Amino acid sequence: MIIGISVLLGFLFLKVYLPMYTNHGESVSVPDLSGYTFDEGVDILDRAGLQYEVSLDSGFNTDLKTFAILKQIPEPNAQVKSGKTVYLTLNARNAPMLKMPNLVNTQLKNVQEILANMGLERGDIRYVPDIGINVVLEQKYRGVNVPEGFEIPKGAKIDLVVGDGMGNQILAVPDLKGMDEVDAEFLILGSSLRVGNKYYLDTDSVGAGKVLRQNPEATRQVKTGELIDLWIAKDNL
C-alpha cells in the first residue's frame, strides 16, 4: 500500500501539480515592440500575458520619439512561458554629447564612414573654389564652424565646405608640346594644374613618349586645378 500510495503521489506531482505550477505547454510569442512608445509597448505586453522591466541602460535615435522602445530581451517572436518578463531599452530624452572629430583635409569619400561610426550624420555639402578636389575645408554645425573636440549631440548633422578642385587664381597653360611625358606631368603639377586624360598615338614624326598635342592649348588662361589632356607618341617596341 505504501508503495502504491508513493507511486500515485509521484504521478499526481509529475502530471498534475508540476505542469500547473510551471504552466507546462503554455507559451506565447514575444511581440515585436521596436519603435512603439513605452505606453504602447506595455499595453501590447499586457495583452500578450507578459511582464516588463525597463533596463537602466538607454540609447538614442533621432528618428524615434522620447522613450520609444529601442531594444527588447527576449527578441521578437521568441517562444516564452506566459508571465515571462521582457526587458526594455528606451530612447533617451536627451541625446548624449560627442566630441567632434577632425574632418578638415579629409577626402569626402571617407567622411561618411567617419561620421556614421561616431553616430553623426552628414548634412549639406557646399563646394568652393580650391585646388583640393573633394577635400573637406570646413566642418559646420548649425552654420557655425566647429573645431575638433567640440561637444555636439549624437545624431547631429554636420555640414561640409568642400574644395571643387579649381582655385581662384588665373594662370597661363604652359607649352608642353615636344616634352617627354614625365617632364610634362611635372610641369603641369608644378603649375598648380592637374593631369587629365592621356592618349597614346602611333606616329613616326617624333620619338616615343613625346607630347604631340595638349588641351587646353599653350598660353590659354585657366583656373588653378584645371585638367590638361595630353596626346603622346606611342612606343611601338
Side-chain angles (χ1 to χ4, degrees), residues 186-198:
F186 274 117
L187 181 55
I188 289 171
L189 297 175
S191 301
S192 298
L193 300 170
R194 292 185 294 142
V195 179
N197 294 319
K198 294 191 290 185

Side-chain angles (χ1 to χ4, degrees), residues 126-147:
R126 181 167 64 90
Y127 284 92
V128 297
D130 189 89
I131 193 171
I133 184 169
N134 286 328
V135 174
V136 176
L137 305 175
E138 298 178 36
Q139 52 193 32
K140 296 176 177 286
Y141 174 59
R142 293 184 174 178
V144 179
N145 282 328
V146 286

Side-chain angles (χ1 to χ4, degrees), residues 92-167:
R93 181 188 298 275
N94 299 314
M97 301 302 289
L98 305 173
K99 291 186 181 297
M100 180 66 196
N102 182 27
L103 305 175
V104 176
N105 295 324
T106 301
Q107 283 287 331
L108 185 60
K109 64 181 180 180
N110 299 325
V111 166
Q112 183 65 44
E113 182 178 359
I114 296 173
L115 291 176
N117 290 338
M118 290 288 297
L120 301 170
E121 295 184 25
R122 193 186 73 187
D124 295 331
I125 298 175
R126 181 167 64 90
Y127 284 92
V128 297
D130 189 89
I131 193 171
I133 184 169
N134 286 328
V135 174
V136 176
L137 305 175
E138 298 178 36
Q139 52 193 32
K140 296 176 177 286
Y141 174 59
R142 293 184 174 178
V144 179
N145 282 328
V146 286
E148 180 181 8
F150 187 85
E151 289 196 340
I152 53 176
K154 183 177 181 179
K157 290 186 177 181
I158 306 302
D159 299 325
L160 304 172
V161 177
V162 179
D164 62 3
M166 303 285 289

